[in-house]
Amino acid sequence: MKYILTGAVLLLSIGAAQAGEAHVCRSETQKVQKFIGLSDNTTFTCGENVKGNIPQLASQGWKIVQVTQQVESLGASPTSYYELVVQKP
């Protein structure tokens, strides 16, 4: 039993030591009437030090894990933006 517990602790510590970095990124807000959509030119801001479009983020080693479109307001002039979740292993 002691060896099983020790092995489990070692496996968990190896996974924690290899943990990567992840960020939630946001594009600029667009008016829905003039909505351009997602493209290679859409720029995302991911915290203070990570910024770029999808090809730039990929060339920096970021893996795109999730893409969602968010509605910011539904009033007289509705707005929307894209959100990415990126991570590095």
Side-chain angles (χ1 to χ4, degrees), residues 15-82:
Q18 295 179 3
E21 186 178 354
H23 293 282
V24 175
C25 310
R26 182 183 165 148
S27 71
E28 292 186 17
T29 302
Q30 300 177 30
K31 290 184 179 182
V32 173
Q33 290 88 357
K34 297 180 181 180
F35 192 70
I36 298 168
L38 184 63
S39 73
D40 282 350
N41 298 321
T42 305
T43 301
F44 293 88
T45 303
C46 319
E48 293 182 23
N49 298 323
V50 181
K51 185 175 183 174
N53 57 35
I54 291 175
Q56 291 168 337
L57 292 170
S59 70
Q60 295 169 15
W62 293 100
K63 179 180 176 186
I64 286 92
V65 177
Q66 181 178 2
V67 179
T68 56
Q69 183 180 4
Q70 304 289 334
V71 175
E72 189 168 69
S73 70
L74 290 171
S77 61
T79 56
S80 178
Y81 62 93
Y82 282 100

Side-chain angles (χ1 to χ4, degrees), residues 1-10:
M1 181 70 171
K2 181 179 176 183
Y3 294 111
I4 294 172
L5 188 57
T6 302
V9 170
L10 285 173

